[in-house]
C-alpha cells in the first residue's frame, strides 16, 4: 500500500485508497482472531504479542493519526494475555494449588525474554506519536503490568522523554489535570520507587492535610513546609550525612555493586523525573498547586538517593508558583524607565510652554482689541468735535446778527430819506 501510494501520481481525492487500506486491516485482524481460536489457550504469549505488534505497525503506516486502530491493537493484546493468565490460575487451582499456597511467581504468566522484549517494543511504539493520549486507553496500563519491573522502567523512560520533549505547548504531550498526572506517575512508578513498595494514595482535592486551608499563598508555603523527609519514610542519617548517604543524587555504591555505568544510568533517570516536575504547569494556580502536591507524594517515598535529585525540583517549582500567586494578588507598581520619564517631562514641558504661549497670545489679542476699541471711540469723538466746529463756523454769533440788523436798519432808513427827497421836489409847470 505504501509503495503504491508513493509511486502512483494520482491523488486519493475521495479517500478510496485509505478506505481499501482500512478494509485490509480489518481482514488481517480477522485472520489473527481465527488463528487465536485455532490455537486456543495453547498459544504462547510471544506469538500473541508478535501478531498484535505486526497489526500495530501496519495501522501506523496506513493511518498514523488513527488512535482507534492503535487502541484496538492494544486492547486485543491485553485481553488475550489476560485470558492466558486467568487460564493458568484456574489450572493451578484445579490441581489443588490454591492462591494461599502458591507463590506470586507461580500465578503469573510465563513471559519469555523474547515475549518481554516484543511487549516492551509494542508499548513504546504508540508513545512516539500519541504521547499522553495513551493514558486514555485503559488497556495500556493493563498491558504494562505483564512486563517485569526493569522493562517497565524502560517504557517509563520513553514516556517521560516524550512529555519533556513536548513541554507545555504541544497537544498530547501536556499534562492537563491532576487525574492525568496520577495516571502518568502510575506508569513512571519504576523510576520513583523500588519494586515491592506500595504506591501512595490517590490525591483528594478535599484533603488539606498536606496543603492546609486558607489562601493559596499560605497553602503553597505549607506545601514547601511538608517537603521534609519523615522518619517513617527512611533513616534521617541516610539523607543528612549518614554512613549510607547518597551524595548529590548518587545512589549508595552498594546498591549497584560499584557499577559506574548503572550509577550513571540511575542519575540520568532521576534527572528526567526532575525535568518532568519543571514542565508541570496550569493556567489555574489552584490546579498547579495540586499538581505539585501529587508530585511530592510520589517522589518523597523514593529514598534518599532519589529525592536528592528530584525533590529540589519540587521546591523550586513551589517557589515559582509562590511568586506567580504573589504577582497576581499583590501586583507591583509599574516602574517607568528613566528615559521614558525624561521623555514625559519634555512632553509635559512642551505642553506647558504651549499653554503659556497660548495665554500670552490671548492676552495680546485682548490688549490689541481694547486698543482698537479705544481708538475707534477717540475717532468718533474727534469727528463730533469737528462737526461742532464747522457748525460754529457756519452759524453766526449773536453780535454779528445784531450788527447786521443795525446795518439793515440804516440802509432802510437811508432809502426812506431818498424817497422823501424825491417826493419834495416841485413838479414842472404844465
Amino acid at each position: 500500500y505504501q509503495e503504491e501510494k508513493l509511486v502512483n501520481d494520482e491523488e486519493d481525492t475521495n479517500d478510496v485508497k485509505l478506505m481499501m487500506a482500512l478494509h485490509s486491516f480489518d481482514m488481517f485482524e480477522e485472520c489473527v482472531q481465527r488463528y487465536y481460536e485455532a490455537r486456543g489457550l495453547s498459544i504462547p504469549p510471544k506469538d500473541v504479542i508478535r501478531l498484535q505488534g505486526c497489526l500495530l505497525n501496519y495501522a501506523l503506516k496506513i493511518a498514523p493519526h488513527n488512535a482507534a486502530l492503535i487502541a484496538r491493537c492494544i486492547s486485543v493484546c491485553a485481553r488475550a494475555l489476560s485470558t492466558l493468565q486467568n487460564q493458568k490460575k484456574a489450572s493451578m487451582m484445579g490441581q489443588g494449588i490454591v492462591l494461599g499456597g502458591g507463590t506470586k511467581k507461580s500465578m503469573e504468566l510465563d513471559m519469555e525474554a523474547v515475549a518481554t522484549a516484543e511487549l516492551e517494543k509494542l508499548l513504546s511504539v504508540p508513545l512516539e506519536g500519541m504521547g499522553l493520549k495513551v493514558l486514555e486507553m485503559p488497556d495500556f496500563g493493563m498491558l504494562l503490568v505483564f512486563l517485569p519491573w526493569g522493562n517497565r522502567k524502560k517504557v517509563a523512560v520513553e514516556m517521560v522523554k516524550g512529555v519533556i520533549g513536548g513541554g507545555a505547548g504541544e497537544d498530547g504531550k501536556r499534562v492537563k489535570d491532576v487525574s492525568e498526572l496520577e495516571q502518568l506517575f502510575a506508569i513512571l512508578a519504576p523510576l520513583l520507587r523500588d519494586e515491592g513498595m506500595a504506591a501512595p494514595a490517590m490525591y483528594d482535592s478535599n484533603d488539606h492535610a498536606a496543603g492546609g486551608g486558607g489562601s493559596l499563598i499560605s497553602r503553597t508555603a505549607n506545601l514547601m513546609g511538608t517537603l521534609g523527609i519523615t522518619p517513617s519514610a527512611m533513616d534521617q542519617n541516610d539523607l543528612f550525612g549518614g554512613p549510607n548517604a547518597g551524595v548529590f543524587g548518587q545512589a549508595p555504591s552498594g546498591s549497584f555493586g560499584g557499577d559506574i555505568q548503572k550509577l550513571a544510568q540511575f542519575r540520568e533517570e532521576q534527572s528526567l523525573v526532575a525535568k518532568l516536575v519543571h514542565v508541570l504547569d496550569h493556567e489555574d494556580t489552584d490546579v498547579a498547586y495540586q499538581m505539585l502536591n501529587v508530585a511530592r507524594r510520589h517522589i518523597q517515598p523514593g529514598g534518599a538517593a532519589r529525592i536528592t535529585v528530584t525533590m529540589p525540583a519540587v521546591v523550586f517549582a513551589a517557589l515559582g508558583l509562590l511568586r506567580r500567586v504573589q504577582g497576581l494578588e499583590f501586583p507591583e507598581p509599574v516602574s517607568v524607565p528613566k528615559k521614558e520619564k525624561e521623555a514625559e517631562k519634555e512632553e509635559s514641558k512642551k505642553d506647558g510652554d504651549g499653554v503659556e504661549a497660548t495665554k500670552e497670545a490671548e492676552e495680546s489679542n485682548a490688549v490689541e482689541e481694547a486698543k482698537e476699541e479705544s481708538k475707534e471711540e477717540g475717532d468718533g469723538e474727534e469727528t463730533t468735535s469737528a462737526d461742532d466746529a464747522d457748525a460754529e463756523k457756519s452759524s453766526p454769533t449773536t453780535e454779528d446778527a445784531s450788527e447786521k440788523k443795525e446795518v439793515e436798519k440804516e440802509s432802510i432808513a437811508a432809502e426812506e430819506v431818498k424817497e422823501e427827497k424825491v417826493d419834495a421836489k416841485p413838479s414842472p409847470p404844465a
Side-chain angles (χ1 to χ4, degrees):
Y1 168 76
Q2 286 293 326
E3 293 178 357
E4 182 183 356
K5 185 177 180 182
L6 294 174
V7 174
N8 197 346
D9 295 332
E10 295 181 1
E11 295 183 359
D12 191 12
T13 54
N14 296 325
D15 294 335
V16 176
K17 296 181 181 179
L18 178 60
M19 296 303 296
M20 291 178 61
L22 294 176
H23 182 64
S24 64
F25 177 84
D26 295 335
M27 294 174 59
F28 286 133
E29 188 178 30
E30 185 178 356
C31 292
V32 170
Q33 291 293 336
R34 289 180 179 178
Y35 177 76
Y36 290 162
E37 294 174 359
R39 293 291 302 270
L41 298 175
S42 62
I43 184 172
K46 62 180 181 180
D47 290 348
V48 175
I49 299 171
R50 281 177 174 176
L51 288 172
Q52 292 305 133
C54 293
L55 283 176
L56 178 60
N57 290 328
Y58 184 66
L60 292 174
K61 287 183 178 179
I62 63 174
H65 302 292
N66 194 332
L69 293 182
I70 300 175
R72 281 166 60 180
C73 297
I74 298 293
S75 177
V76 171
C77 186
R79 285 188 282 109
L81 293 181
S82 298
T83 302
L84 293 177
Q85 186 175 21
N86 293 333
Q87 176 63 24
K88 182 178 180 180
K89 291 180 180 180
S91 62
M92 292 183 65
M93 294 180 67
Q95 296 175 5
I97 305 176
V98 295
L99 183 60
T103 62
K104 180 180 179 183
K105 189 68 178 177
S106 63
M107 304 300 293
E108 291 180 351
L109 187 64
D110 296 330
M111 294 287 290
E112 302 176 5
V114 177
T116 300
E118 291 294 332
L119 182 57
E120 180 184 334
K121 187 187 302 183
L122 176 67
L123 292 173
S124 300
V125 168
L127 296 178
E128 299 177 359
M130 299 184 63
L132 290 177
K133 290 183 179 180
V134 298
L135 300 178
E136 300 174 1
M137 305 178 187
D139 296 318
F140 186 86
M142 183 188 303
L143 197 58
L144 191 65
V145 176
F146 290 99
L147 281 178
W149 192 259
N151 297 91
R152 289 177 61 183
K153 182 184 293 186
K154 295 179 181 179
V155 177
V157 169
E158 294 298 326
M159 171 71 83
V160 72
K161 283 182 178 179
V163 177
I164 294 172
E170 189 174 349
D171 187 21
K173 295 185 178 180
R174 176 179 178 271
V175 182
K176 299 177 182 178
D177 50 31
V178 176
S179 176
E180 190 172 77
L181 184 61
E182 288 280 7
Q183 296 178 10
L184 176 61
F185 277 123
I187 295 177
L188 304 183
L191 297 177
L192 303 175
R193 59 182 181 271
D194 295 330
E195 187 177 5
M197 294 181 62
M202 294 290 290
Y203 179 79
D204 185 5
S205 59
N206 297 322
D207 184 12
H208 301 290
S215 65
L216 184 56
I217 293 181
S218 63
R219 285 188 281 127
T220 307
N222 292 336
L223 168 65
M224 296 176 62
T226 57
L227 293 179
I229 307 304
T230 59
S232 60
M234 67 194 67
D235 187 4
Q236 295 279 355
N237 295 327
D238 289 343
L239 180 61
F240 301 105
N244 299 323
V247 182
F248 299 111
Q250 298 179 359
S253 58
S255 300
F256 302 119
D259 192 338
I260 303 300
Q261 185 177 0
K262 290 184 179 180
L263 181 60
Q265 182 181 358
F266 175 82
R267 294 182 62 185
E268 182 181 357
E269 293 169 353
Q270 298 309 306
S271 298
L272 290 175
V273 177
K275 292 178 181 179
L276 173 64
V277 175
H278 285 295
V279 300
L280 297 178
D281 193 16
H282 199 276
E283 58 183 6
D284 188 350
T285 53
D286 287 337
V287 178
Y289 165 79
Q290 294 171 5
M291 286 182 174
L292 291 181
N293 247 327
V294 171
R296 178 190 61 80
R297 288 190 304 100
H298 284 272
I299 288 174
Q300 185 169 328
R306 289 185 176 90
I307 65 174
T308 49
V309 181
T310 55
M311 192 62 76
V314 182
V315 175
F316 282 102
L319 288 172
L321 178 61
L322 185 61
R323 287 194 295 267
R324 177 181 167 189
V325 175
Q326 185 179 8
L328 292 174
E329 297 194 3
F330 307 101
E332 296 181 358
V334 180
S335 59
V336 182
K338 187 176 181 181
K339 293 182 179 180
E340 294 184 2
K341 288 183 178 179
E342 293 178 355
E344 290 179 358
K345 287 182 180 179
E346 290 180 359
E347 290 180 359
S348 61
K349 186 177 181 181
K350 290 179 180 179
D351 295 339
D353 295 340
V355 172
E356 291 179 358
T358 304
K359 289 182 178 179
E360 291 178 358
E362 291 178 354
E363 291 178 357
S364 61
N365 292 333
V367 171
E368 291 178 359
E369 290 178 357
K371 287 181 179 180
E372 290 179 357
E373 290 178 358
S374 61
K375 186 177 180 181
E376 290 177 357
E377 291 178 357
D379 294 340
E381 291 178 356
E382 290 177 358
T383 304
T384 304
S385 60
D387 293 340
D388 293 341
D390 293 338
E392 288 179 357
K393 289 181 180 180
S394 59
S395 60
T397 58
T398 306
E399 294 178 355
D400 294 338
S402 59
E403 290 178 356
K404 189 175 180 179
K405 287 181 180 180
E406 290 179 357
V407 171
E408 289 178 353
K409 287 180 180 181
E410 289 178 356
S411 62
I412 292 171
E415 289 178 358
E416 289 178 353
V417 171
K418 286 180 179 181
E419 290 178 356
E420 288 179 355
K421 286 181 178 180
V422 172
D423 292 338
K425 287 181 178 182
S427 59

